[in-house]
Amino acid sequence: MRFYVFSFLVIMSSILKASESLVLDLKEVIKIARENNPTLQAAQEKLNQFEAQKKLSVSPIYPNLSWNLGGNYLKDAVYTGSPKFNGNSYNQYSSDLKLVQPLYTKGLFSAIDVADYDKKIQSATIELTERTLTISIIEAFYRFILNQQSLENLLKNQDIIQKSLATSNQRYQKGRGQLLDILQVKTQLALIQPQVEQAKNQFEIAAQQLINFMGEKEHSNFKLKGQLRTLLLKDVQKYIDLKNYHLPEYEVNQLQLTQLEYTRDVILGKEYPTLKLVGDYLYNNYKKSDLFSDYSHAWSIQLQLSIPLFSGFSSNQEKSIIASQNSQLKIARRDLENALSLKQVTSLKNLETSETSLVSAASAVKLAEESQNEAGRIYKLSQIDFLQFLLVQQAALQAKSSFDLLKFQSIIAYSNYFVATGQPLPLLVDILTKEGPL
């Protein structure tokens, strides 16, 4: 297991107080990201919103109780024939306690179900967001390691060329070499320096990308613990259960289809009669002190039935809208099935191709290292010139870089395969962080 050191931003105050750098593996990076990533936090907060809306949707089934108090100063017109207090101004006080209890409203309980399904859909959406975040972190984590190893390879190659320059100078001073060899070495040193700088930039960009996914802000030093390991399909398949899978995309689509049925009841419910129980307890008096006396009160209880007769054919249009929404969701489901089926086939073929390439690349790296060692030995003995020596070094660098890139691409292919087949990504993380053979 290798360690990769870099500086970046963190938010944890306990980390800032630590005297030593924190060592993070892939699991710990994902854990921090789930706690701090703004996108995931926003999705979770939206779930809290839907939870509150679900509780709010229950309120219409409970009684509505209101109490109105009023005080008026008024005067009746004399021409009415029976003015109060002979047309003189007077006070009037009132107290009105009203109770309204819904007894039947079509779609009333369906509205609660709609709110409940909003919460369920958001929970599945959070699962999708976590999955996307996990995939992004896996890619960023191993891209950082890939860029780190690329930088290390270039620095090693630069060091070899610098040592070659010293060897060429010694040969030239002893009359066993040519000035051309020195110029060629210096040329290669000049050419490799921009490559090193570019590799450093890519390394820093990869680190910053990982920071962004983690949602960190304060500065500290970290060590990443991980490696670009070679995964073989025969070893990974024993952990996979293709009969048991979970695809949150399907769950969201199915929840939306079911929710639409309840939404239909809510929307069309206003076309049906409603029944309410209405109770009214009233006090009315011209004197404030006698407002609540037994002679000032009145009460009434009634059943109130409302029957809509005509609404401008709006119900027909609303039914058409719901039918269209239902068709759109079913079309989206077929498109989702086709896309996932294609992704399953593509990811599996990519795995098979990357595995074949990895075997060849591993052999190439082994041969390149042997050639590199031999070239270094005979170059010091002046049995080959610098150009031949350089070609061997470049071939070795290319073999190592290609091998690292193939391992990185293989890890990404496994991520896509796990998503397409509905396998839990924590299982892949366990495989990637497992020390020793699978």
Side-chain angles (χ1 to χ4, degrees):
M1 190 69 68
R2 302 187 64 180
F3 293 86
Y4 301 89
V5 184
F6 63 100
S7 296
F8 60 79
L9 310 175
V10 296
I11 196 171
M12 302 164 60
S13 59
S14 61
I15 293 175
L16 294 176
K17 296 177 182 178
S19 58
E20 297 182 357
S21 297
L22 186 67
V23 178
L24 297 177
D25 62 6
L26 180 59
K27 289 182 180 179
E28 291 162 333
V29 170
I30 292 174
K31 180 181 177 182
I32 293 174
R34 286 182 174 176
E35 293 173 354
N36 299 325
N37 184 263
T39 302
L40 194 56
Q41 287 179 337
Q44 184 62 49
E45 194 58 42
K46 194 168 185 179
L47 179 63
N48 296 337
Q49 172 190 331
F50 284 129
E51 174 65 25
Q53 289 178 352
K54 178 185 175 182
K55 294 178 180 178
L56 179 63
S57 67
V58 180
S59 60
I61 69 175
Y62 293 107
N64 188 315
L65 184 64
S66 61
W67 186 23
N68 295 319
L69 292 172
N72 298 317
Y73 182 69
L74 62 161
K75 174 183 177 302
D76 292 343
V78 177
Y79 75 88
T80 59
S82 57
K84 294 178 182 179
F85 297 100
N86 297 321
N88 296 317
S89 59
Y90 60 94
N91 298 321
Q92 186 175 32
Y93 303 98
S94 64
S95 170
D96 188 5
L97 185 64
K98 181 174 287 188
L99 172 70
V100 178
Q101 172 63 61
L103 298 178
Y104 174 77
T105 300
K106 183 174 175 57
L108 184 62
F109 289 96
S110 294
I112 300 174
D113 291 323
V114 169
D116 184 50
Y117 272 86
D118 278 333
K119 181 183 174 183
K120 291 178 180 178
I121 290 171
Q122 184 59 26
S123 296
T125 302
I126 289 176
E127 188 176 353
L128 280 170
T129 304
E130 287 182 345
R131 191 185 70 181
T132 301
L133 177 63
T134 302
I135 292 175
S136 299
I137 289 176
I138 290 174
E139 181 177 354
F141 184 90
Y142 287 104
R143 186 178 294 281
F144 172 85
I145 294 177
L146 173 67
N147 290 339
Q148 171 73 7
Q149 293 185 180
S150 297
L151 178 58
E152 288 178 358
N153 290 335
L154 282 170
L155 291 174
K156 287 179 182 178
N157 198 38
Q158 186 182 45
D159 183 61
I160 290 172
I161 295 175
Q162 287 175 339
K163 291 179 180 178
S164 300
L165 178 59
T167 302
S168 298
N169 282 325
Q170 291 176 0
R171 288 183 182 178
Y172 180 70
Q173 291 172 2
K174 295 179 180 180
R176 295 168 53 193
Q178 299 179 5
L179 179 61
L180 179 60
D181 290 338
I182 297 176
L183 295 176
Q184 286 180 328
V185 177
K186 290 183 177 180
T187 300
Q188 292 304 317
L189 279 175
L191 290 174
I192 201 172
Q193 185 59 37
Q195 298 178 33
V196 172
E197 293 301 323
Q198 184 178 7
K200 288 181 180 178
N201 291 337
Q202 293 300 319
F203 170 70
E204 292 174 2
I205 290 172
Q208 187 60 48
Q209 186 179 31
L210 193 59
I211 295 166
N212 291 339
F213 286 131
M214 294 172 67
E216 304 294 359
K217 295 180 180 179
E218 304 291 337
H219 181 274
S220 184
N221 292 322
F222 275 76
K223 292 181 181 178
L224 281 188
K225 182 174 69 173
Q227 61 180 339
L228 289 167
R229 68 183 307 163
T230 302
L231 299 179
L232 299 179
L233 194 55
K234 65 180 180 63
D235 296 327
V236 177
Q237 280 181 330
K238 63 185 179 183
Y239 296 97
I240 296 176
D241 185 3
L242 295 178
K243 294 182 180 179
N244 295 318
Y245 59 88
H246 177 60
L247 297 168
E249 297 95 334
Y250 281 156
E251 183 180 352
V252 169
N253 183 271
Q254 186 58 51
L255 289 172
Q256 289 172 335
L257 281 168
T258 306
Q259 185 190 43
L260 191 60
E261 294 299 319
Y262 293 113
T263 304
R264 181 178 182 275
D265 289 341
V266 174
I267 293 176
L268 300 181
K270 62 179 180 291
E271 305 295 333
Y272 289 80
T274 59
L275 181 64
K276 298 178 181 178
L277 173 68
V278 180
D280 198 0
Y281 202 92
L282 177 66
Y283 281 92
N284 197 357
N285 205 303
Y286 303 111
K287 294 182 179 180
K288 188 187 304 183
S289 59
D290 295 335
L291 176 61
F292 293 104
S293 69
D294 293 339
Y295 299 100
S296 303
H297 75 278
W299 58 267
S300 66
I301 299 176
Q302 64 173 320
L303 287 175
Q304 189 178 91
L305 178 65
S306 300
I307 303 175
L309 299 178
F310 181 70
S311 59
F313 305 107
S314 61
S315 61
N316 293 332
Q317 303 305 321
E318 288 168 342
K319 289 177 182 178
S320 298
I321 292 172
I322 293 172
S324 176
Q325 291 175 340
N326 185 70
S327 298
Q328 292 175 48
L329 287 173
K330 289 181 177 179
I331 292 171
R333 185 174 185 84
R334 291 200 302 269
D335 183 59
L336 179 61
E337 290 172 348
N338 293 336
L340 286 176
S341 177
L342 176 61
K343 192 171 183 179
Q344 288 173 3
V345 174
T346 303
S347 59
L348 180 58
K349 293 300 178 184
N350 287 339
L351 285 178
E352 294 171 350
T353 301
S354 65
E355 185 166 324
T356 303
S357 302
L358 281 170
V359 174
S360 301
S363 300
V365 169
K366 185 177 180 180
L367 292 171
E369 288 176 348
E370 293 176 358
S371 300
Q372 193 177 27
N373 294 333
E374 179 63 15
R377 185 184 67 82
I378 61 178
Y379 178 67
K380 291 180 180 179
L381 299 175
S382 303
Q383 294 179 1
I384 59 173
D385 58 19
F386 175 73
L387 183 58
Q388 293 174 297
F389 175 73
L390 178 63
L391 290 174
V392 174
Q393 299 302 323
Q394 290 177 338
L397 176 62
Q398 183 177 1
K400 293 176 183 177
S401 299
S402 298
F403 188 44
D404 289 339
L405 180 60
L406 285 171
K407 287 192 288 186
F408 170 76
Q409 292 173 343
S410 174
I411 291 173
I412 301 305
Y414 273 104
S415 298
N416 294 330
Y417 181 69
F418 268 62
V419 170
T421 55
Q423 301 301 304
L425 280 177
L427 174 61
L428 177 60
V429 174
D430 289 338
I431 293 173
L432 291 171
T433 55
K434 181 180 176 62
E435 296 187 10
L438 296 180

